[in-house]
mmCIF file of all heavy atoms in Angstrom:
data_model
loop_
_atom_site.group_PDB
_atom_site.id
_atom_site.type_symbol
_atom_site.label_atom_id
_atom_site.label_comp_id
_atom_site.label_asym_id
_atom_site.label_seq_id
_atom_site.Cartn_x
_atom_site.Cartn_y
_atom_site.Cartn_z
ATOM 1 N N LEU A 1386 2.428 -5.419 -29.889
ATOM 2 C CA LEU A 1386 3.138 -6.295 -28.960
ATOM 3 C C LEU A 1386 4.652 -6.000 -28.947
ATOM 4 O O LEU A 1386 5.322 -6.212 -27.941
ATOM 5 C CB LEU A 1386 2.894 -7.758 -29.334
ATOM 6 C CG LEU A 1386 1.466 -8.250 -29.201
ATOM 7 C CD1 LEU A 1386 1.365 -9.711 -29.585
ATOM 8 C CD2 LEU A 1386 0.924 -8.028 -27.795
ATOM 9 N N GLY A 1387 5.144 -5.479 -30.079
ATOM 10 C CA GLY A 1387 6.572 -5.167 -30.126
ATOM 11 C C GLY A 1387 6.999 -4.166 -29.071
ATOM 12 O O GLY A 1387 8.132 -4.226 -28.585
ATOM 13 N N ALA A 1388 6.115 -3.247 -28.700
ATOM 14 C CA ALA A 1388 6.478 -2.241 -27.701
ATOM 15 C C ALA A 1388 6.874 -2.881 -26.383
ATOM 16 O O ALA A 1388 7.797 -2.420 -25.694
ATOM 17 C CB ALA A 1388 5.306 -1.269 -27.492
ATOM 18 N N HIS A 1389 6.177 -3.949 -25.962
ATOM 19 C CA HIS A 1389 6.530 -4.637 -24.715
ATOM 20 C C HIS A 1389 7.931 -5.207 -24.794
ATOM 21 O O HIS A 1389 8.753 -5.038 -23.884
ATOM 22 C CB HIS A 1389 5.525 -5.774 -24.446
ATOM 23 C CG HIS A 1389 4.156 -5.323 -24.091
ATOM 24 N ND1 HIS A 1389 3.878 -4.598 -22.957
ATOM 25 C CD2 HIS A 1389 2.975 -5.496 -24.733
ATOM 26 C CE1 HIS A 1389 2.588 -4.360 -22.887
ATOM 27 N NE2 HIS A 1389 2.002 -4.881 -23.958
ATOM 28 N N GLU A 1390 8.218 -5.885 -25.911
ATOM 29 C CA GLU A 1390 9.516 -6.545 -26.038
ATOM 30 C C GLU A 1390 10.641 -5.540 -26.219
ATOM 31 O O GLU A 1390 11.745 -5.720 -25.673
ATOM 32 C CB GLU A 1390 9.467 -7.513 -27.240
ATOM 33 C CG GLU A 1390 8.371 -8.552 -27.179
ATOM 34 C CD GLU A 1390 8.668 -9.690 -26.215
ATOM 35 O OE1 GLU A 1390 9.612 -9.544 -25.415
ATOM 36 O OE2 GLU A 1390 7.963 -10.696 -26.278
ATOM 37 N N PHE A 1391 10.401 -4.475 -26.963
ATOM 38 C CA PHE A 1391 11.426 -3.436 -27.121
ATOM 39 C C PHE A 1391 11.802 -2.823 -25.779
ATOM 40 O O PHE A 1391 12.969 -2.541 -25.505
ATOM 41 C CB PHE A 1391 10.930 -2.326 -28.045
ATOM 42 C CG PHE A 1391 10.916 -2.684 -29.505
ATOM 43 C CD1 PHE A 1391 9.910 -2.220 -30.339
ATOM 44 C CD2 PHE A 1391 11.908 -3.470 -30.077
ATOM 45 C CE1 PHE A 1391 9.886 -2.526 -31.696
ATOM 46 C CE2 PHE A 1391 11.908 -3.810 -31.401
ATOM 47 C CZ PHE A 1391 10.893 -3.328 -32.236
ATOM 48 N N GLU A 1392 10.793 -2.618 -24.930
ATOM 49 C CA GLU A 1392 11.046 -2.015 -23.634
ATOM 50 C C GLU A 1392 11.983 -2.899 -22.795
ATOM 51 O O GLU A 1392 12.918 -2.422 -22.149
ATOM 52 C CB GLU A 1392 9.725 -1.819 -22.898
ATOM 53 C CG GLU A 1392 9.829 -0.988 -21.637
ATOM 54 C CD GLU A 1392 9.391 0.453 -21.809
ATOM 55 O OE1 GLU A 1392 9.713 1.051 -22.847
ATOM 56 O OE2 GLU A 1392 8.748 0.973 -20.906
ATOM 57 N N MET A 1393 11.755 -4.225 -22.823
ATOM 58 C CA MET A 1393 12.600 -5.127 -22.052
ATOM 59 C C MET A 1393 13.994 -5.256 -22.665
ATOM 60 O O MET A 1393 14.997 -5.320 -21.959
ATOM 61 C CB MET A 1393 11.934 -6.487 -21.940
ATOM 62 C CG MET A 1393 10.630 -6.495 -21.188
ATOM 63 S SD MET A 1393 10.767 -5.848 -19.479
ATOM 64 C CE MET A 1393 10.214 -4.151 -19.717
ATOM 65 N N ALA A 1394 14.057 -5.289 -23.980
ATOM 66 C CA ALA A 1394 15.358 -5.361 -24.637
ATOM 67 C C ALA A 1394 16.190 -4.122 -24.330
ATOM 68 O O ALA A 1394 17.386 -4.208 -24.046
ATOM 69 C CB ALA A 1394 15.175 -5.501 -26.153
ATOM 70 N N ARG A 1395 15.550 -2.969 -24.353
ATOM 71 C CA ARG A 1395 16.258 -1.721 -24.013
ATOM 72 C C ARG A 1395 16.738 -1.757 -22.579
ATOM 73 O O ARG A 1395 17.823 -1.243 -22.253
ATOM 74 C CB ARG A 1395 15.340 -0.515 -24.223
ATOM 75 C CG ARG A 1395 15.101 -0.119 -25.656
ATOM 76 C CD ARG A 1395 14.293 1.182 -25.745
ATOM 77 N NE ARG A 1395 14.841 2.188 -24.907
ATOM 78 C CZ ARG A 1395 14.295 2.669 -23.763
ATOM 79 N NH1 ARG A 1395 13.122 2.190 -23.364
ATOM 80 N NH2 ARG A 1395 14.881 3.592 -23.051
ATOM 81 N N TRP A 1396 15.949 -2.323 -21.691
ATOM 82 C CA TRP A 1396 16.310 -2.418 -20.275
ATOM 83 C C TRP A 1396 17.576 -3.260 -20.066
ATOM 84 O O TRP A 1396 18.318 -3.054 -19.127
ATOM 85 C CB TRP A 1396 15.140 -3.021 -19.522
ATOM 86 C CG TRP A 1396 14.786 -2.302 -18.258
ATOM 87 C CD1 TRP A 1396 15.333 -1.160 -17.777
ATOM 88 C CD2 TRP A 1396 13.773 -2.674 -17.317
ATOM 89 N NE1 TRP A 1396 14.724 -0.788 -16.601
ATOM 90 C CE2 TRP A 1396 13.769 -1.696 -16.291
ATOM 91 C CE3 TRP A 1396 12.874 -3.723 -17.243
ATOM 92 C CZ2 TRP A 1396 12.893 -1.739 -15.209
ATOM 93 C CZ3 TRP A 1396 12.010 -3.776 -16.168
ATOM 94 C CH2 TRP A 1396 12.011 -2.801 -15.160
ATOM 95 N N ALA A 1397 17.776 -4.237 -20.950
ATOM 96 C CA ALA A 1397 18.933 -5.129 -20.818
ATOM 97 C C ALA A 1397 20.180 -4.583 -21.519
ATOM 98 O O ALA A 1397 21.283 -5.033 -21.249
ATOM 99 C CB ALA A 1397 18.593 -6.513 -21.377
ATOM 100 N N MET A 1398 19.999 -3.631 -22.434
ATOM 101 C CA MET A 1398 21.121 -3.076 -23.182
ATOM 102 C C MET A 1398 21.899 -2.084 -22.312
ATOM 103 O O MET A 1398 21.440 -1.655 -21.261
ATOM 104 C CB MET A 1398 20.597 -2.342 -24.428
ATOM 105 C CG MET A 1398 20.086 -3.256 -25.508
ATOM 106 S SD MET A 1398 19.540 -2.266 -26.943
ATOM 107 C CE MET A 1398 19.124 -3.605 -28.078
ATOM 108 N N PRO A 1399 23.097 -1.711 -22.766
ATOM 109 C CA PRO A 1399 23.824 -0.655 -22.057
ATOM 110 C C PRO A 1399 22.950 0.577 -21.895
ATOM 111 O O PRO A 1399 22.135 0.908 -22.771
ATOM 112 C CB PRO A 1399 25.018 -0.381 -22.990
ATOM 113 C CG PRO A 1399 25.254 -1.673 -23.675
ATOM 114 C CD PRO A 1399 23.878 -2.269 -23.887
ATOM 115 N N GLU A 1400 23.084 1.276 -20.794
ATOM 116 C CA GLU A 1400 22.160 2.335 -20.407
ATOM 117 C C GLU A 1400 21.995 3.414 -21.479
ATOM 118 O O GLU A 1400 20.872 3.890 -21.701
ATOM 119 C CB GLU A 1400 22.625 2.976 -19.101
ATOM 120 C CG GLU A 1400 21.669 4.001 -18.550
ATOM 121 C CD GLU A 1400 22.067 4.507 -17.186
ATOM 122 O OE1 GLU A 1400 23.109 4.057 -16.670
ATOM 123 O OE2 GLU A 1400 21.330 5.356 -16.607
ATOM 124 N N ASN A 1401 23.050 3.796 -22.144
ATOM 125 C CA ASN A 1401 22.968 4.887 -23.119
ATOM 126 C C ASN A 1401 22.935 4.386 -24.559
ATOM 127 O O ASN A 1401 23.176 5.162 -25.493
ATOM 128 C CB ASN A 1401 24.151 5.834 -22.924
ATOM 129 C CG ASN A 1401 24.123 6.516 -21.563
ATOM 130 O OD1 ASN A 1401 23.066 6.964 -21.113
ATOM 131 N ND2 ASN A 1401 25.264 6.571 -20.894
ATOM 132 N N ALA A 1402 22.618 3.123 -24.767
ATOM 133 C CA ALA A 1402 22.579 2.579 -26.123
ATOM 134 C C ALA A 1402 21.475 3.250 -26.938
ATOM 135 O O ALA A 1402 20.356 3.402 -26.459
ATOM 136 C CB ALA A 1402 22.368 1.070 -26.085
ATOM 137 N N SER A 1403 21.795 3.646 -28.154
ATOM 138 C CA SER A 1403 20.829 4.300 -29.046
ATOM 139 C C SER A 1403 20.916 3.704 -30.430
ATOM 140 O O SER A 1403 22.017 3.322 -30.889
ATOM 141 C CB SER A 1403 21.114 5.812 -29.127
ATOM 142 O OG SER A 1403 21.009 6.430 -27.860
ATOM 143 N N PRO A 1404 19.801 3.589 -31.136
ATOM 144 C CA PRO A 1404 19.821 3.010 -32.478
ATOM 145 C C PRO A 1404 20.577 3.910 -33.454
ATOM 146 O O PRO A 1404 20.360 5.118 -33.487
ATOM 147 C CB PRO A 1404 18.334 2.935 -32.850
ATOM 148 C CG PRO A 1404 17.668 3.986 -32.026
ATOM 149 C CD PRO A 1404 18.441 4.023 -30.723
ATOM 150 N N GLN A 1405 21.460 3.284 -34.232
ATOM 151 C CA GLN A 1405 22.251 4.012 -35.216
ATOM 152 C C GLN A 1405 21.780 3.733 -36.644
ATOM 153 O O GLN A 1405 22.009 4.559 -37.538
ATOM 154 C CB GLN A 1405 23.735 3.633 -35.084
ATOM 155 C CG GLN A 1405 24.333 3.963 -33.719
ATOM 156 C CD GLN A 1405 25.738 3.475 -33.556
ATOM 157 O OE1 GLN A 1405 26.399 3.055 -34.524
ATOM 158 N NE2 GLN A 1405 26.261 3.542 -32.338
ATOM 159 N N SER A 1406 21.164 2.592 -36.859
ATOM 160 C CA SER A 1406 20.622 2.264 -38.187
ATOM 161 C C SER A 1406 19.544 1.208 -38.056
ATOM 162 O O SER A 1406 19.423 0.537 -37.025
ATOM 163 C CB SER A 1406 21.725 1.781 -39.129
ATOM 164 O OG SER A 1406 22.179 0.491 -38.767
ATOM 165 N N VAL A 1407 18.765 1.076 -39.122
ATOM 166 C CA VAL A 1407 17.673 0.098 -39.144
ATOM 167 C C VAL A 1407 17.445 -0.374 -40.566
ATOM 168 O O VAL A 1407 17.640 0.393 -41.527
ATOM 169 C CB VAL A 1407 16.370 0.710 -38.560
ATOM 170 C CG1 VAL A 1407 15.907 1.884 -39.422
ATOM 171 C CG2 VAL A 1407 15.285 -0.326 -38.429
ATOM 172 N N ILE A 1408 17.055 -1.639 -40.697
ATOM 173 C CA ILE A 1408 16.599 -2.157 -41.972
ATOM 174 C C ILE A 1408 15.468 -3.144 -41.666
ATOM 175 O O ILE A 1408 15.562 -3.938 -40.720
ATOM 176 C CB ILE A 1408 17.730 -2.839 -42.780
ATOM 177 C CG1 ILE A 1408 17.200 -3.331 -44.139
ATOM 178 C CG2 ILE A 1408 18.383 -3.981 -42.006
ATOM 179 C CD1 ILE A 1408 18.311 -3.828 -45.058
ATOM 180 N N SER A 1409 14.393 -3.086 -42.459
ATOM 181 C CA SER A 1409 13.230 -3.934 -42.190
ATOM 182 C C SER A 1409 12.685 -4.488 -43.483
ATOM 183 O O SER A 1409 12.758 -3.858 -44.538
ATOM 184 C CB SER A 1409 12.149 -3.118 -41.463
ATOM 185 O OG SER A 1409 11.093 -3.952 -41.033
ATOM 186 N N LEU A 1410 12.115 -5.695 -43.384
ATOM 187 C CA LEU A 1410 11.535 -6.358 -44.562
ATOM 188 C C LEU A 1410 10.351 -7.214 -44.134
ATOM 189 O O LEU A 1410 10.144 -7.475 -42.951
ATOM 190 C CB LEU A 1410 12.596 -7.215 -45.258
ATOM 191 C CG LEU A 1410 13.279 -8.325 -44.416
ATOM 192 C CD1 LEU A 1410 12.470 -9.607 -44.423
ATOM 193 C CD2 LEU A 1410 14.677 -8.597 -44.957
ATOM 194 N N GLY A 1411 9.571 -7.658 -45.111
ATOM 195 C CA GLY A 1411 8.439 -8.524 -44.806
ATOM 196 C C GLY A 1411 7.321 -8.388 -45.821
ATOM 197 O O GLY A 1411 7.531 -8.028 -46.968
#
Side-chain angles (χ1 to χ4, degrees):
L1386 295 181
H1389 291 296
E1390 304 284 13
F1391 285 144
E1392 190 101 319
M1393 296 303 98
R1395 285 186 49 250
W1396 227 3
M1398 288 182 176
E1400 185 173 1
N1401 296 316
S1403 299
Q1405 300 175 10
S1406 71
V1407 62
I1408 182 172
S1409 188
L1410 59 85

